[in-house]
Amino acid sequence: MSSGPVGVAIVGAGVISGTYLRQLSSFPDVRVLGIADLDTARAATAAREHGVPVSGTVETVLAVPEVEIVVNLTIPAAHAAVALAALRAGKHVYSEKPLALDMDEAAKVTAEAANLDLLVGNAPDTFLGAGLQSAAKALASGLIGTPVGVTAAFQSLGPESWHPNPEFLYQRGAGPLFDLGPYYLTTLVALLGPAARVAASTRRARDHRVIGSGPKAGTAFAVEVPTHVNALIDFAGSASATTTFSFDSPIRREMIEIIGTEGALSLPDPNTFEGPLLARGPHDAEWRGLPVTGTTAGRGLGVLDMARSLRAGTPHRASGALAQHVLEIMTAIGDAGEDGEARRLHTTSPTPPPLPDDWDPLAATLT
């Protein structure tokens, strides 16, 4: 198709699918045409709740000719396989993070897309929200001068207290680095450009965790990945960042602070689309609030931007190249944490251009 709203199908009817279904159904430039899951009854229930015409297996929704983009919400271990299946069915793919479990899998996905002249997009898309778009504009304006250093951290006690099926969040492809790290690392790459080198230290506090809610409450499960990660990241020609990603902390933190030659910025939680955005000059005693403008529509902005870019023939912002670079940062952090050796990075990423000031997800622009 070359005009009109873009048809979308969702694969994976888990916890996050409800958010995507609500959001995407509110955007007039996309149409949600199908939802698939290994549990076809669960897919059928989600389809009824959100007025989606087709539900069933992956093969069922891939066979819908009007579907142009497949939104891949499966668990990380299935991301690459589902993406490849969608590409081979002639569909563009937008996946939840991470792009794949490792760089070899990611390379297969991006190579297949290039061979078939199809697009790959990837979450997170929070950098398209008002808070982080306003931060990008503040940096570009020179408000804090040249960025020098960054402190970024996500800390919590982990998701098992509230998530009814948290086991996959402690398996390969998840943990605090792969589950929450993409929000922070994607933000930093989008604001500062690609990274060049990483060093890291990693720990696993406990070998087992216990589910705290839902029908499996009290069930113990194995932890396969580090649960406390400290990393130093050097950005090419820009700042260096100290980062912490932890599921072992009773102190809850979600923060990014950027220090520049003329001041500092305190960014909003990069897992959100809003503010606050704060600034501080060299001699200021307190932080001051900055204006936050743009969309706060939430999850799915990356899919919408991809759909509009598909019609316009322009690059989309939450791109496969960006996701592949973030994946390399994370895998390099994991490797450096294991053997204590710093890693130089080999991939790069274009800096996503800012959204236009009048970019409105609720406007119908594709006719």
Side-chain angles (χ1 to χ4, degrees), residues 147-203:
V148 174
V150 178
T151 302
F154 173 85
Q155 298 175 194
S156 79
L157 282 173
E160 67 270 21
S161 65
W162 59 268
H163 199 296
N165 298 290
E167 298 95 328
F168 78 95
L169 293 168
Y170 289 88
Q171 295 171 353
R172 183 168 172 255
L177 176 60
F178 277 72
D179 185 44
L180 278 303
Y183 297 105
Y184 294 79
L185 299 172
T186 301
T187 295
L188 294 181
V189 172
L191 294 181
L192 302 174
R197 187 178 73 99
V198 304
S201 174
T202 60
R203 297 289 185 272

Side-chain angles (χ1 to χ4, degrees), residues 257-270:
E257 292 179 358
I258 302 175
I259 299 168
T261 54
E262 302 298 330
L265 280 178
S266 176
L267 275 56
D269 177 354

Side-chain angles (χ1 to χ4, degrees), residues 200-282:
S201 174
T202 60
R203 297 289 185 272
R204 183 172 64 203
R206 300 189 295 281
D207 291 333
H208 292 84
R209 300 253 174 163
V210 178
I211 300 174
S213 65
K216 296 191 290 185
T219 304
F221 61 92
V223 177
E224 299 178 0
V225 294
T227 51
H228 188 86
V229 177
N230 291 319
L232 174 66
I233 305 168
D234 287 334
F235 290 87
S238 185
S240 62
T242 56
T243 62
T244 299
F245 306 109
S246 181
F247 282 167
D248 295 322
S249 174
I251 303 168
R252 180 89 185 192
R253 298 179 78 196
E254 303 102 352
M255 58 89 72
I256 298 177
E257 292 179 358
I258 302 175
I259 299 168
T261 54
E262 302 298 330
L265 280 178
S266 176
L267 275 56
D269 177 354
N271 194 8
T272 67
F273 293 82
E274 304 178 356
L277 175 64
L278 308 176
R280 194 164 180 169

Side-chain angles (χ1 to χ4, degrees), residues 118-140:
L118 294 168
L119 301 180
V120 173
N122 213 80
D125 55 6
T126 49
F127 71 93
L128 300 176
L132 297 177
Q133 285 286 299
S134 297
K137 291 174 183 175
L139 283 174

